[in-house]
Amino acid sequence: MDLDFDQKHVWHPYTSTQAPLPCYPVTHAEGVYLTLEDGRQLVDGMSSWWSTIHGYNHPMLNEAAKSQIDKMAHVMFGGITHQPAVELCRKLVAISPEPLQHVFLADSGSVAVEVSLKMALQYWHARGEQRPKFLTVRHGYHGDTFAAMSVTDPDNSMHSLYKGFLPEHIFADSPQCGFFDEWDESDVDDFRTKLIAHHTELAAVILEPIVQGAGGMRIYHPNFLKRVRELCDEYGVLLIADEIATGFGRTGKLFACEHAGISPDIMCVGKALTGGYMTLSATLTTTHVANTVCGGEAGCFMHGPTFMGNPLACAVANASLDLLANGHWQKQVKQIENQLAEQLPAIGQLPAVKAVRWLGAIGVVELYQPVDMAKIQKTFVDMGVWIRPFGTLVYIMPPFIISQQELRQLTSAIKAAVS
Ligand SMILES: *Cc1c(COP(=O)(O)O)cnc(C)c1O
């Protein structure tokens, strides 16, 4: 592979063209292993940004893509429909919280978030109310497009860079009570205060249920989410659950909202939807929201991506949901959680470590100091694992199929690197 060309001309996520860190060339991937060009095999702790839940090169997912591509790779979704999309939406409605009955397919997580925010805005517009604001909690992450960025944590550089262009929304303190901590009712005070102060101008509350991902890898108490639902009901504000990172079993429930027994008005899914094969996302909502949106001035929902409902992506998503439907993921994720509960506390004792936390197939080691990315990345690769930290956070979200021994390789590598 021409790594020199890569360094000079290929822009990677969040990297500089002037001082690019080296990238590792991967030639193929199988199960939980990534194979580098030089033949080294790495145990994947990232699931390619939390998406490859069934592992790489899965025979059923491959077969779904192959058989669909011989029928049609793509067809427009305006005025045309097809079996893979209909089947996928049927499955999504069946497994989602009961009130969510309408599915809007989109092309990436960020777009699913844009769609959810637009739905909420159109909902209030149709009701003749001016509600231009969103309320969220700090340390959230909802994507890199503009509206998604505007509800992402304001203390990373994204907000200051685009100030003046980015809409300004309302941020409440993030939940402090951890998932396994004793619940403290005051945790929701700031959220309640801000909701009460602003509810007449709020279109919706948007947050990641139970686990805040890229905004800080924080795992919070289900009662926080319960209170948020109750307060949204009490003050007549829509609730958007961004399940893009948490959906499809990652937290030990199919959707993280289930930990709190709540149902949102709008729900975004993405990442693991196709088992990490292709980009696809969906925004689901209730009949009440959908009908209100479509009963408004526009008479429809104003969105329609070119590659909406891409048949190839839908076919793979169907195969991925079929794999989830066999239920093995529950045992696998529980097994991962148990092992993390056993192995992470020892890492928590190391002097460089501020905290460790885990839930389902998510393990987080928070350090006092940000990591030296190039150095730690090389250390991990030399130890035969693929773990990509950010800032002070070294975390793993492995494919659900990982074995106990492979997971131990990941936790041992973290322990050694952090030591
Ligand atoms: C990754 C992520 C997104 C954005 O998804 P993309 O596919 O990267 O656009 C949005 N919300 C959450 C919670 C995410 O983890």
Side-chain angles (χ1 to χ4, degrees):
M1 230 177 282
D2 190 344
L3 293 182
D4 188 49
F5 185 90
D6 182 83
Q7 287 236 337
K8 285 195 179 115
H9 298 281
V10 182
W11 226 328
H12 286 268
Y14 294 99
T15 50
S16 164
T17 54
Q18 283 182 307
L21 296 178
C23 279
Y24 293 87
V26 170
T27 51
H28 59 277
E30 174 90 33
V32 296
Y33 289 93
L34 305 174
T35 304
L36 297 180
E37 199 174 38
D38 62 13
R40 281 185 291 173
Q41 293 208 316
L42 309 179
V43 177
D44 177 29
M46 297 283 96
S47 302
S48 282
W49 277 336
W50 330 343
S51 62
T52 10
I53 52 177
H54 312 294
Y56 299 90
N57 220 338
H58 194 286
M60 273 177 67
L61 303 187
N62 288 5
E63 179 48 36
K66 284 174 188 164
S67 71
Q68 181 57 41
I69 206 166
D70 286 334
K71 294 181 192 137
M72 61 183 166
H74 184 61
V75 64
M76 67 186 283
F77 212 46
I80 287 174
T81 195
H82 49 79
Q83 187 57 28
V86 174
E87 193 184 323
L88 175 60
C89 294
R90 185 195 300 282
K91 287 182 171 134
L92 286 174
V93 166
I95 63 176
S96 304
E98 207 272 327
L100 303 171
Q101 291 292 322
H102 301 267
V103 187
F104 191 95
L105 297 170
D107 19 24
S108 71
S110 301
V111 175
V113 169
E114 300 283 324
V115 162
S116 72
L117 301 174
K118 285 173 75 172
M119 272 181 193
L121 290 171
Q122 267 196 253
Y123 172 87
W124 292 108
H125 189 269
R127 293 183 52 157
E129 286 193 43
Q130 275 287 321
R131 298 224 189 184
K133 296 282 175 197
F134 291 91
L135 170 63
T136 183
V137 287
R138 289 177 182 276
H139 292 105
Y141 177 81
H142 297 286
D144 287 356
T145 52
F146 274 102
M149 265 198 294
S150 74
V151 287
T152 285
D153 189 65
D155 290 336
N156 63 39
S157 62
M158 297 217 248
H159 282 246
S160 54
L161 278 176
Y162 306 108
K163 200 171 164 60
F165 187 75
L166 209 57
E168 288 180 18
H169 296 302
I170 298 143
F171 292 86
D173 292 344
S174 43
Q176 300 301 313
C177 264
F179 187 91
F180 299 105
D181 292 347
E182 201 179 321
W183 170 240
D184 175 357
E185 208 56 64
S186 70
D187 211 21
V188 79
D189 282 355
D190 189 56
F191 179 88
R192 182 190 294 106
T193 305
K194 296 212 159 100
L195 183 77
I196 292 172
H198 295 279
H199 72 277
T200 56
E201 55 171 349
L202 289 179
V205 165
I206 178 167
L207 45 65
E208 296 154 281
I210 306 299
V211 180
Q212 297 186 289
M217 305 304 299
R218 301 161 58 89
I219 305 171
Y220 66 87
H221 201 288
N223 282 358
F224 189 94
L225 190 56
K226 271 193 201 148
R227 295 294 175 271
V228 165
R229 177 70 274 183
E230 289 161 8
L231 287 162
C232 285
D233 286 340
E234 190 178 345
Y235 289 91
V237 174
L238 296 174
L239 176 59
I240 302 170
D242 179 350
E243 291 259 10
I244 291 166
T246 49
F248 308 112
R250 179 57 67 182
T251 69
K253 302 278 186 193
L254 202 48
F255 297 103
C257 282
E258 294 168 26
H259 287 289
I262 65 118
S263 167
D265 300 290
I266 302 175
M267 181 171 95
C268 306
V269 295
K271 288 202 161 91
L273 174 57
T274 62
Y277 266 49
M278 305 177 80
T279 178
L280 183 70
S281 66
T283 306
L284 289 90
T285 193
T286 62
T287 299
H288 169 67
V289 170
N291 286 354
T292 305
V293 163
C294 300
E297 184 188 306
C300 65
F301 179 54
M302 296 295 271
H303 203 91
T306 305
F307 288 100
M308 183 166 180
N310 175 255
L312 212 43
C314 289
V316 181
N318 281 322
S320 176
L321 294 182
D322 285 346
L323 281 172
L324 286 175
N326 73 24
H328 297 330
W329 67 270
Q330 277 168 306
K331 242 179 89 187
Q332 293 166 334
V333 172
K334 192 71 208 161
Q335 172 70 51
I336 293 169
E337 182 179 87
N338 291 343
Q339 205 179 328
L340 291 172
E342 200 182 290
Q343 289 164 9
L344 289 187
I347 300 177
Q349 301 302 311
L350 299 172
V353 178
K354 187 173 170 197
V356 292
R357 43 191 180 264
W358 60 86
L359 181 69
I362 306 169
V364 185
V365 175
E366 184 176 353
L367 308 176
Y368 285 105
Q369 301 290 327
V371 297
D372 175 338
M373 204 41 181
K375 198 169 146 211
I376 198 165
Q377 193 79 89
K378 184 173 183 308
T379 307
F380 280 138
V381 169
D382 290 343
M383 287 191 282
V385 299
W386 181 248
I387 298 172
R388 189 163 172 84
F390 63 93
T392 56
L393 297 163
V394 183
Y395 72 93
I396 47 176
M397 285 203 185
F400 298 169
I401 56 157
I402 195 165
S403 71
Q404 289 188 44
Q405 190 225 326
E406 289 155 348
L407 182 56
R408 180 174 284 283
Q409 267 178 272
L410 294 176
T411 54
S412 305
I414 293 178
K415 193 172 181 186
V418 166
S419 300

